Amino acid sequence: MKNQKQAMAYAGIAVLLWSTVATGMKLALVSFDYLQLLFWSSGTAVLVLGIILVVKKRFFQLFKLPAKAIFKSALYGGINPFLYYIVLFKAYDLLPAQEAQALNYTWPIMFSLLAIPLLKQKMTPKNLLAIGISFVGVLIIATRGNLVNLSFSNLQGVMFGLGSAIIWAAFWIFNIKDEREELSKLFLNFCFGFVYIAISIYFFSDFTMDYGVGLWSAVYVGLFEMGITFIIWSIALKKSYSAAGVSKLVYLVPFLSLVVIYLILREPIGLPTLMGLFLIISGLVYDKISFRQLRFSRNRKHNER
């Protein structure tokens, strides 16, 4: 049944949870390297998504899937969570949390650009202006306000931050064409991604166990970046009269995230970060770029079938 108040409540919870994960990533990286963080967080996501499938009585339906569906998950799992989170966590390892999360939030811009060759969409003058505004914001963050000399504070970290946005945008463009039920394919993608990261850990890192803040932070990331929040957001859209209205709340995530970063990590929030993030979001709002609206509108259709 539709209930806009309940929809907004669920959406608000999802937004608040997403606003905390940047801090969770940074806390986990104190104890783990980026590969170890992905191992524990993706393992948590596999467990949680598997339990949800069992509760919804969909788990055993996975065994009836055709080989083509399994192959898709083997391929997509290599992109997300494996490649995407390796690049994202490396960005958080190299940059202050406030800069990494702001650069990652340029993914709707990347989606708009990639949609031209991959989805045959046309670029309008409005699109170009919006992208230009957002990229000025990126430059302000990347140079920490030193636009005159274009002196990048950490070029490698900036490249990883923008790289994560490109990978995420590309993944969801491919995902548009995948008509499988969302929860099942997400679980399978994470299963394959977890296998890939376990292999990578064996060759390039080690299976370090930390029973302190690091491990709990990694579990938190797995729960609320990769797992449960996805379900909460899907419920919000299912209950909403207007997916577009609910989706606008995601613009609050990066700003609320800065508050959490300041309170928990004690990172002083720099003026260049605020200015850059404001321009990035302004560009997205001006062009009404909201890929989450597209993504979760598709989830809503699946849920209503």
Side-chain angles (χ1 to χ4, degrees):
M1 294 179 63
K2 307 298 181 186
N3 187 317
Q4 194 66 16
K5 288 185 178 180
Q6 288 186 12
M8 296 301 287
Y10 277 106
I13 292 170
V15 165
L16 289 175
L17 291 174
W18 271 324
S19 300
T20 63
V21 292
T23 298
M25 292 176 196
K26 201 66 178 178
L27 287 173
L29 286 166
V30 174
S31 302
F32 297 127
D33 64 32
Y34 59 97
L35 291 175
Q36 293 164 344
L37 169 55
L38 181 52
F39 176 79
W40 293 112
S41 58
S42 62
T44 300
V46 169
L47 180 61
V48 170
L49 293 171
I51 291 172
I52 293 172
L53 280 171
V54 170
V55 171
K56 289 179 171 287
K57 298 181 180 180
R58 296 181 188 174
F59 185 81
F60 293 102
Q61 295 177 10
L62 299 175
F63 297 99
K64 301 177 183 179
L65 293 174
K68 183 179 180 181
I70 303 300
F71 176 78
K72 276 187 177 181
S73 286
L75 176 62
Y76 289 172
I79 302 174
N80 175 44
F82 181 64
L83 180 60
Y84 169 66
Y85 280 109
I86 283 180
V87 175
L88 179 63
F89 290 166
K90 185 63 177 177
Y92 273 90
D93 194 32
L94 294 171
L95 295 171
Q98 59 186 286
E99 294 180 14
Q101 68 97 21
L103 293 172
N104 176 251
Y105 216 76
T106 61
W107 65 263
I109 306 170
M110 305 305 179
F111 172 80
S112 187
L113 291 172
L114 291 174
I116 299 171
L118 298 179
L119 297 179
K120 309 301 181 185
Q121 292 188 4
K122 294 182 179 180
M123 181 65 68
T124 66
K126 184 178 180 180
N127 296 144
L128 288 172
L129 179 58
I131 290 170
I133 292 171
S134 295
F135 268 117
V136 171
V138 170
L139 284 175
I140 291 174
I141 293 170
T143 63
R144 294 183 182 172
N146 190 5
L147 288 176
V148 176
N149 297 323
L150 283 181
S151 177
F152 293 94
S153 59
N154 187 325
L155 183 58
Q156 186 182 17
V158 170
M159 296 306 293
F160 275 106
L162 294 177
S164 69
I166 293 171
I167 295 168
W168 184 255
F171 172 75
W172 285 110
I173 286 178
F174 296 136
N175 192 59
I176 289 172
K177 302 176 182 179
D178 188 351
E179 295 298 328
R180 291 177 296 161
E181 189 271 324
E182 288 289 336
L183 180 58
S184 297
K185 70 180 179 183
L186 187 66
F187 172 73
L188 287 174
N189 290 355
F190 268 86
C191 284
F192 279 103
F194 182 70
V195 172
Y196 302 151
I197 190 60
I199 294 171
S200 297
I201 285 279
Y202 179 80
F203 285 105
F204 303 109
S205 186
D206 57 73
F207 295 93
T208 298
M209 172 67 79
D210 180 335
Y211 291 100
V213 174
L215 180 60
W216 290 113
S217 297
V219 169
Y220 187 90
V221 171
L223 285 172
F224 300 118
E225 161 70 7
M226 303 173 179
I228 292 176
T229 314
F230 165 83
I231 306 301
I232 295 173
W233 186 260
S234 296
I235 293 172
L237 287 170
K238 189 174 182 179
K239 288 181 173 291
S240 175
Y241 290 105
S242 171
V246 170
S247 295
K248 290 177 182 177
L249 291 178
V250 298
Y251 294 126
L252 296 175
V253 171
F255 295 104
L256 291 175
S257 183
L258 290 181
V259 176
V260 179
I261 288 168
Y262 174 76
L263 293 175
I264 304 299
L265 300 180
R266 298 298 181 183
E267 279 188 15
I269 305 303
L271 181 60
T273 299
L274 288 172
M275 292 175 59
L277 187 56
F278 177 78
L279 287 173
I280 289 170
I281 300 302
S282 296
L284 302 183
V285 172
Y286 173 70
D287 197 33
K288 298 181 180 178
I289 301 172
S290 182
F291 184 53
R292 274 196 172 100
Q293 178 181 334
L294 169 62
R295 168 190 171 189
F296 291 112
S297 292
R298 291 182 67 252
N299 292 353
R300 185 181 179 188
K301 290 178 182 177
H302 279 295
N303 291 333
E304 291 177 346
R305 286 176 182 173

